[in-house]
Every structure is written in C-alpha cells, then in structure tokens.
Amino acid sequence: MDDLEQTCASLRAQIAATEAQLAGLKRDLQIAEQAAVAQKTQDPNPTNDRSPARKWPLLEDEYRRYGRQMIVPQLGIQGQLKLRSARVLIVGAGGLGCPAALYLAGAGVGTLGLVDGDTVESSNLHRQVLHRTKNVGKLKVDSAIEYLQELNPHSKYIAHREHLTPQAAPDIFNDYDLVLDCTDNPATRYLISDTAVLLGKPLVSASALRTEGQLMVLNNPPRPMGDKTGGPCYRCVFPKPPPANTVTSCADGGIIGPVVGTMGVLQALEAIKVITAEEAPAPSLHIFSAYSSPLFRTIKLRSRRPNCAVCSAEATVTLDTVRSGSTDYVFFCGTADPENLLSAEERITPLEYRAKHPEASVELDTREPTIIDVREKVQFDICSLENSINIPMSTILASARMPTGTAGSADGSTALPPWVPSDLASSEATDPVYVVCRLGNDSQIAVKKLKELGLDRDGQRVVADFRGGFRAWKEQVDPEWPEY
C-alpha cells in the first residue's frame, strides 16, 4: 500500500511539473504571437515598400468590422479613429474587467493594457467571461489576452502580470490615456484614483456585489490640482473609506454574474464616450439594482472638494508620497483581520474537534456538543453539519448588547436576545458550544458575543470556534464537503 501511495505521489508531482512547463511554453508562445500581431498591425504590408499610400484611414477589414458602430452619429469615422489611437488601462481582469475589455477590444481600441496578478479559478468562470475552463490555473491577464487576440487581432494588448502597487502604479499609468478601475477593494480604489488624478488620466470606476452595482466617471475632464473645473475624484465622493469590517468581497457576499457583467459593459460604454466625446458630461453616480424597479437611479455628484487631499489646492498626496509609501493606503482604509480576536484556547481545528468528540460525527443523531453555524441561511441551505443550529451572523450583530452574566441569572434567559436557543440559555447547561462559519472569521466575533452574554458560565463551559471554518473542515475532515 505504501509503495502504491508513493507511486501515486510521484506521478502527481510529475504531472504538476509537466503542467507548469506547458503553462510556461504557452505563455512564451502567446508573447511571441502578440508581438507578431502588433508588428503586422503597425505594418500590414512590410514587404512592399513601394506600395502607394493608403487612400482610406482604416484597413478594409476594419471598415467591415466596425461599420455598424461607425454609422452611429455619436461616433462616426472620427470617433473610430480616436478609438484606434486610444490607450486604455484596465486594472483587474475579473468580473468587471472581463466584459469591459471584451467590448473595448471589440470596439477597436488601439491599445489595451491589463493589470492583474491573480490566476484563474473555477469559481471565477460564472462571471469572468474572458476565461475558460482550460485556463484554470493560468494568469488572468494571459487568459484574457488569449481570448481578446482571437476576438480582434488589430488591437495591441499589454500584460502587466502583477498586483497594482503604489511603487509601480505611476509608471504603468503614464503610458495610457484612460484608466478603468475594475478592482474590488477600497485601498486599491484610492490608489488608482490618486494616481489617475496626479497623472491627468480620466477614470471609469465601477463596483458590484450580490445584486447591486455602482458606476462613476471620475477626474473628467482631468485638470491640474486646484482647478475647480476638473471632475471630482474618488476621494471627493468618498473622503473617508468605509469601516474595514463592513467591506464585503464577492467571495464572501456573493455575486450574480450578469450584475457584474452589466457594470463592466457600462464601464466600456463610458470609456468609449470619454474617448470620443467633445465635452465631459456632468459627473454622476449611477446605481444599479437588479431586483428593483426601475433598475437604475442616478445621483448628481458635486464638483471637486475644496479640501480634497489629492485634487484640491491643499493637496497633500503627490507622486512622491505615493511611490515612497508615505501615503499608506492599507493604513488609510484599515484592515479587517479577526485572526487575533480569540486566544488559542478559544479555538479548535476541525481535526481536533473530531478527535475530541468522535461520537459527534455528522452521521450520528446527537446534540452533544452544540454547533452553531453563523452563515446566512442561503449558505446554510447549500450544505450544513447534521444537528447544527443556524443563527445567521446578521441576526447576532443586530441584537442589542447585553450585560455580562445575564444568562446565569436566577430567572434563566429572560434577559437574552431571542435568537439564543432555550436549551443553550439554561443555567444548568454546560455542554460545549462550537461556532462555525465559512472561513473562520465571523465565528470568532460570534464567540466573543456569546461570552459577552455570559453563555460560557464564567469559564465553566467551553465556547470556541472552528479555526479555518468549513474550508478547514473540508481539508481536514470531509473532502467531499461542497466548496462554493
């Protein structure tokens, strides 16, 4: 048996090494193909130096390819030529960046740059429409450019295979005319906006979560710092970032694919308008809600804030402060890192739990110990441990804060919030209580809340969480546990 396991492990290692080598060869081929396409586009007939100058500004294929949009009065041939000469940077090749890049490439934007350091995961595929199943594990920018080159070989595609950093952002942005913010975290949003303003680049910013999205065109028209006629920046609209513990990503909050796709397509549309329009429209915030009627609401934005830290005459953010790191975006936005909320004694790994409570397996009908699942009901319905109790985190946080020790009062649980189960609130109950969530973050907050309510009986009862949540449960206990 040991020999077979060693053979399997050896074969897996060889497969992984071969796949890595193949991925490297594919990247090299893609770079070579990209260079060949760019050279061909710049000089479509390099062997015939004596050919007469072209009578028409576009290639024959380009007239056929873009004809349907060139006959739209708002665009025309002049707009198409502007698109052809435009250089657009897309930061983020995910749910927003994929549809935005798709339509900008299709529209004939001359140069498209993509910035992203992530690789394609299978969980991306329901919404990140440039990536395909065969490209899982591949860098997102490489996967996206592979698709875009097949869509439109006339455009030039530049891959920035990295996460955007303050040190690199100014140098990357400097080579582009327009920037699209297709990221999903506040620190990067402020970095993108600040860099765009400091370099005089208009910015199209969007976000999406669950069933809702937002869209803004910022720093349009771009003007020097202190010029009140310039468009507002991200700091003008949001001078203070949201509390770190209120920021939810698509991975945690979920997203419907067409919602983020809608916002990405609208980013492409706004980018085309910025490139081809003669004048910038009044700044507005567009709010999309998939399950509301009407679907869209528009809020007029104010002009630049007179005390904005980046675009006003009192600006304190400069290219030097960005590059040097003295403008600390992570510190400015804060971090929601609950890893140190609990002590080691208040946490248990799924493997330790299974060893300590072998009789409390998912196959047995037992209520000892108590397991509280604090995921929202929609996630609890996807998969749950047998005999676990679902008390959503939103319900726990919405309840009023109770004084410590009320659970142990003589009259039982009368002072406890209604979500506390009666058997858990009993003054005689001392069975262990374990809290579990998806990743092991919310569960820590819930444990502290339960202890604030006095449910640990002044240390007589174990109240702890599963370190790593259900992700660790899958790794350590049940490999068949659904991963979503």
Side-chain angles (χ1 to χ4, degrees):
M1 181 63 71
D2 292 340
D3 292 341
L4 287 174
E5 290 180 352
Q6 291 178 0
T7 300
C8 292
S10 176
L11 290 172
R12 292 191 191 98
Q14 292 180 49
I15 291 172
T18 303
E19 288 179 342
Q21 183 181 12
L22 179 61
L25 291 172
K26 286 183 176 179
R27 281 197 295 270
D28 293 342
L29 174 61
Q30 184 175 337
I31 294 171
E33 290 176 340
Q34 180 179 340
V37 170
Q39 183 178 3
K40 182 178 178 181
T41 302
Q42 293 172 1
D43 190 355
N45 190 17
T47 61
N48 187 3
D49 295 333
R50 298 182 180 180
S51 59
R54 289 189 53 82
K55 181 178 180 180
W56 310 108
L58 298 177
L59 299 175
E60 183 178 353
D61 179 64
E62 290 179 300
Y63 282 103
R64 288 193 299 266
R65 184 181 290 264
Y66 310 129
R68 297 298 185 274
Q69 67 186 32
M70 284 193 294
I71 61 177
V72 176
Q74 287 86 345
L75 194 69
I77 182 63
Q78 295 304 320
Q80 190 62 52
L81 292 174
K82 290 180 181 179
L83 289 173
R84 193 191 198 199
S85 62
R87 300 174 61 87
V88 178
L89 180 68
I90 299 176
V91 185
L96 293 167
C98 282
L102 189 68
Y103 276 94
L104 288 176
V109 168
T111 302
L112 274 177
L114 284 85
V115 182
D116 203 309
D118 288 338
T119 57
V120 179
E121 300 177 2
S122 58
S123 62
N124 303 147
L125 300 179
H126 87 284
R127 67 192 184 280
Q128 300 182 14
V129 293
L130 287 181
H131 310 309
R132 289 162 286 182
T133 302
K134 70 173 186 177
N135 284 344
V136 169
K138 191 172 186 176
L139 284 169
K140 285 186 176 180
V141 290
D142 292 335
S143 173
I145 290 175
E146 177 184 305
Y147 191 114
L148 296 174
Q149 285 176 329
E150 295 177 2
L151 173 68
N152 189 354
H154 295 289
S155 296
K156 179 181 179 181
Y157 306 102
I158 301 175
H160 301 276
R161 302 175 181 89
E162 58 189 293
H163 295 292
L164 192 69
T165 64
Q167 293 73 30
D171 293 331
I172 294 175
F173 283 31
N174 197 51
D175 293 332
Y176 296 91
D177 308 313
L178 172 66
V179 180
L180 272 64
D181 180 355
C182 300
T183 62
D184 62 357
N185 70 86
T188 307
R189 290 188 180 281
Y190 282 100
L191 167 61
I192 292 171
S193 176
D194 290 355
T195 308
V197 170
L198 294 171
L199 293 175
K201 315 291 184 181
L203 171 64
V204 183
S205 177
S207 62
L209 183 66
R210 298 190 180 99
T211 63
E212 298 182 345
Q214 295 184 354
L215 173 74
M216 297 178 291
V217 179
L218 301 169
N219 196 41
N220 187 41
R223 293 287 187 267
M225 292 180 291
D227 189 334
K228 297 180 180 179
T229 64
C233 70
Y234 196 79
R235 287 183 186 266
C236 294
V237 183
F238 303 109
K240 293 183 178 180
N245 59 4
T246 67
V247 177
T248 305
S249 68
C250 291
D252 295 329
I255 184 69
I256 294 179
V259 172
V260 68
T262 297
M263 305 316 297
V265 170
L266 288 175
Q267 280 187 281
L269 175 61
E270 291 299 325
I272 291 172
K273 289 163 60 179
V274 170
I275 294 168
T276 61
E278 297 296 333
E279 296 182 2
S284 300
L285 168 64
H286 305 286
I287 301 174
F288 172 75
S289 182
Y291 287 84
S292 296
S293 182
L295 294 174
F296 287 93
R297 292 186 295 122
T298 298
I299 300 173
K300 184 178 180 181
L301 296 177
R302 296 179 179 177
S303 57
R304 289 181 168 181
R305 294 174 63 91
N307 60 344
C308 178
V310 68
C311 67
S312 71
E314 304 174 7
T316 56
V317 177
T318 66
L319 287 176
D320 288 338
T321 66
V322 172
R323 281 196 177 98
S324 66
S326 59
T327 300
D328 191 329
Y329 293 95
V330 175
F331 177 79
F332 176 65
C333 294
T335 58
D337 185 6
E339 288 298 321
N340 298 321
L341 283 182
L342 302 179
S343 65
E345 293 75 19
E346 296 173 299
R347 313 199 71 187
I348 187 171
T349 67
L351 195 61
E352 292 169 342
Y353 167 81
R354 203 61 178 278
K356 191 173 184 178
H357 302 283
E359 73 283 357
S361 67
V362 295
E363 292 84 6
L364 299 179
D365 184 12
T366 176
R367 299 183 64 83
E368 295 288 342
T370 301
I371 299 178
I372 298 177
D373 188 331
V374 296
R375 295 174 301 160
E376 295 303 308
K377 185 179 183 300
V378 66
Q379 296 189 47
F380 185 80
D381 290 343
I382 294 173
C383 53
S384 62
L385 294 177
E386 197 168 330
N387 299 315
S388 61
I389 303 170
N390 182 219
I391 306 176
M393 192 66 193
S394 58
T395 302
I396 295 175
L397 295 177
S399 62
R401 182 185 179 94
M402 305 301 295
T404 302
T406 55
S409 59
D411 59 352
S413 59
T414 54
L416 292 173
W419 53 263
V420 178
S422 57
D423 55 346
L424 192 65
S426 171
S427 59
E428 299 179 358
T430 58
D431 54 293
V433 178
Y434 296 102
V435 183
V436 64
C437 66
R438 187 181 179 192
L439 301 175
N441 295 332
D442 287 346
S443 57
Q444 296 185 68
I445 300 173
V447 165
K448 291 187 70 68
K449 182 67 174 179
L450 292 174
K451 289 193 170 185
E452 288 176 2
L453 296 173
L455 295 176
D456 63 335
R457 311 284 180 246
D458 293 326
Q460 298 180 34
R461 168 193 260 175
V462 172
V463 179
D465 89 313
F466 283 2
R467 182 188 294 273
F470 281 119
R471 179 172 293 177
W473 183 273
K474 177 180 178 67
E475 294 173 352
Q476 301 175 19
V477 177
D478 183 5
E480 296 183 359
W481 184 265
E483 182 177 356
Y484 60 91

